[in-house]
Amino acid sequence: YTLTRAGDGDEGGDLDLKGQITLRGAGRNATILDGNEADRVLEVDEGKSVTLGGLTVRNGRSNNGGGIGNSGTLTLSNATLSSNSAYGGGGIYNSGTLTLTNVTLSGNRANRTGGGIWTDGTLRLAFSTLTGNSAASGGGIGIGGRATELKGVILSGNTASTGPECEGSLTSRGHNLIKSNADCGFTADATDILNQDASLGSLADNGGAVQAHLPNPGSPVLDKVPAGSCTDLGNNPVATDARGVARPQGSACDIGAVERN
């Protein structure tokens, strides 16, 4: 689905979600929302609750959040956001409540901050991968305030002059790989992996619902999350990865959006 009407987010060419909506795609090749670099792709209005999954959001462009702008309550799972751009946000701009599980943000960019995600709302990420995103600061995530929690998340291979992987304060809930925590304040959990590259393959069709970065053989993210801890931040089991592949594939789950199988 390619958007062709130019605009700038508000009543422009993007898809404005103004109700209580569940939008469930049919997979990577069947449901692609393409902004055509004409406007942001999706916008969730304040006070609205939206659930998205099983789709790809790409090639959006806006002042904030080229792929998605969220002012409401957005739950996003089993999805990929790639090649979106913004002056201030990158892939996603969040001023509401945003929950991501099994999500890949790859190749998104912002002129200012938050190449993958810019948030000044509440952000909760579980078993997701942010890589290849870029900005002047906060290459992976730029955090402006309120609570940001991470569990089982890969922040690796993002670029920025300040805070290449993340900028601001976050809370680790364990089992994260963060290549660099420069300019990113948090107390590391004993299960977190710091100062190591995740060793991921390129964004590609690896089978299943969405494109993803499959960990390479020998990657430090492999088999790092005990099976009993393969849960999201609400303690709900994460029984599959973003492609629909069962977790775990071995004795333990892999960190990030996909399992190596």
Side-chain angles (χ1 to χ4, degrees), residues 45 56 88 213:
D45 278 9
T56 297
H213 292 270

Side-chain angles (χ1 to χ4, degrees), residues 26-48:
R28 66 181 183 278
N29 295 323
T31 310
I32 300 171
L33 306 181
D34 193 313
N36 197 33
E37 297 191 350
D39 198 356
R40 176 186 294 137
V41 180
L42 295 168
E43 183 166 7
V44 181
D45 278 9
E46 185 176 358
K48 308 306 179 185

Side-chain angles (χ1 to χ4, degrees), residues 190-249:
T191 60
D192 289 334
I193 301 171
L194 303 179
N195 304 313
Q196 292 190 49
D197 185 83
S199 184
L200 304 175
S202 59
L203 185 68
D205 177 358
N206 294 293
V210 292
Q211 288 193 328
H213 292 270
L214 196 67
N216 293 319
S219 167
V221 307
L222 300 177
D223 298 329
K224 287 299 190 295
V225 187
S229 297
C230 296
T231 57
D232 63 17
L233 289 163
N235 208 33
N236 303 297
V238 182
T240 63
D241 72 1
R243 302 167 299 159
V245 172
R247 290 186 188 266
Q249 284 291 302

